[in-house]
Amino acid sequence: MNVAFTFKNFDPSDHLKEYANTRFTKLEKFVSNPDNTEMQVNLSVDRFRHMSEVVLFADNMHISAFEESEDMYSTIDLVLDKLEAQMRRMREKMRSHRRKEASPARMDVISFSSDTEDSGPPRIVESDQFEPKPMTVEEAAMQLETLDYEFLVFRNADSEGINVLYRRKNGDFGLIDPGY
C-alpha cells in the first residue's frame, strides 16, 4: 500500500509520521491487492483544530474520510475508525453480492409408494428436479389455489429464501419459511 502524507501548517515529528504510517497500513487487510492501493493522507492544523482527510484508491473502491479534534493522534485514530467501518461495509456488501450470484437452488422431488400392505420402510417410486421460481407469498397462494397440488415450493421474492406453501385440511394455506 502506497501511503502519501501531506502536512499543512505544522512540522510533524518523526514519531507522528511513524505512528500514522503504522496505523494506516493496518487497512491492508481489507484490500485484495495492496500493491495497487494508493492512500493520500492530508494532516493539517488550524489554531486548536487538528484535521485529517484521507482518500483511498483501490482496485474497485474509492473511499474518503475526514475528522478533526484537538489532538493529532486522536484525529488519526478517529479517521482510521471511519475508514475501517466503510471498508467493512464494502467488504460485506461484496460478500452478499457474491452469495446472490451463486448458482440457483435446485430441489429434488421424491414420491413414496403408498402401499400399506408392505410393512417395510417407504420406498422411492419417483424423483424429479426443478428450480423454484421467485414469487411473493400471495402469488404462490394464487398459484396453489389454481393447481391441484397439496404444496408448492418457491423462492420468496422478498427474502430470497426457499419457502413451502401447503394446503391445510380446513382449506386454508400454511407457510414454511426456514428463515435462512
Side-chain angles (χ1 to χ4, degrees):
M1 177 182 294
N2 299 328
V3 182
F5 289 97
T6 304
F7 302 98
K8 183 177 174 186
N9 296 336
F10 76 104
D11 292 325
S13 65
D14 291 335
H15 184 263
L16 178 67
K17 288 179 186 178
E18 184 180 322
Y19 178 79
N21 197 21
T22 57
R23 296 293 286 167
F24 287 120
T25 54
K26 288 183 178 184
L27 295 175
E28 286 182 351
K29 64 183 176 185
F30 294 106
V31 181
S32 61
N33 190 359
D35 296 333
N36 291 340
T37 304
E38 300 284 330
M39 182 183 294
Q40 177 63 44
V41 180
N42 300 324
L43 302 173
S44 63
V45 175
D46 184 24
R47 295 187 187 184
F48 61 89
R49 295 182 339 176
H50 296 258
M51 298 173 281
S52 176
E53 179 183 11
V54 180
V55 180
L56 179 94
F57 299 100
D59 293 332
N60 57 355
M61 71 173 96
H62 173 86
I63 297 176
S64 63
F66 175 82
E67 269 300 331
E68 66 178 69
S69 70
E70 293 181 5
D71 178 44
M72 187 56 75
Y73 291 96
S74 63
T75 303
I76 290 171
D77 290 339
L78 290 170
V79 78
L80 181 69
D81 291 342
K82 271 189 176 180
L83 286 170
E84 280 185 12
Q86 288 181 21
M87 293 179 90
R88 274 195 186 97
R89 279 195 302 267
M90 288 193 78
R91 184 171 61 182
E92 289 301 316
K93 191 175 184 182
M94 295 299 283
R95 283 183 183 169
S96 67
H97 283 293
R98 285 188 202 131
R99 277 187 229 130
K100 287 182 182 177
E101 292 173 3
S103 64
R106 213 180 76 221
M107 306 298 269
D108 293 332
V109 177
I110 301 172
S111 300
F112 292 99
S113 125
S114 62
D115 294 337
T116 57
E117 304 162 359
D118 192 351
S119 62
R123 56 190 178 97
I124 300 172
V125 293
E126 183 181 344
S127 177
D128 191 12
Q129 296 178 349
F130 73 99
E131 292 181 20
K133 300 207 177 336
M135 61 180 80
T136 64
V137 177
E138 291 80 21
E139 291 172 336
M142 288 190 317
Q143 187 170 356
L144 189 59
E145 271 182 354
T146 60
L147 298 172
D148 200 22
Y149 298 140
E150 293 297 314
F151 66 92
L152 175 70
V153 179
F154 66 99
R155 181 178 295 278
N156 193 328
D158 299 330
S159 67
E160 297 290 326
I162 302 295
N163 291 7
V164 177
L165 190 68
Y166 62 94
R167 192 180 311 269
R168 297 175 56 106
K169 290 180 183 176
N170 64 0
D172 293 337
F173 296 124
L175 177 69
I176 299 174
D177 184 7
Y180 55 85

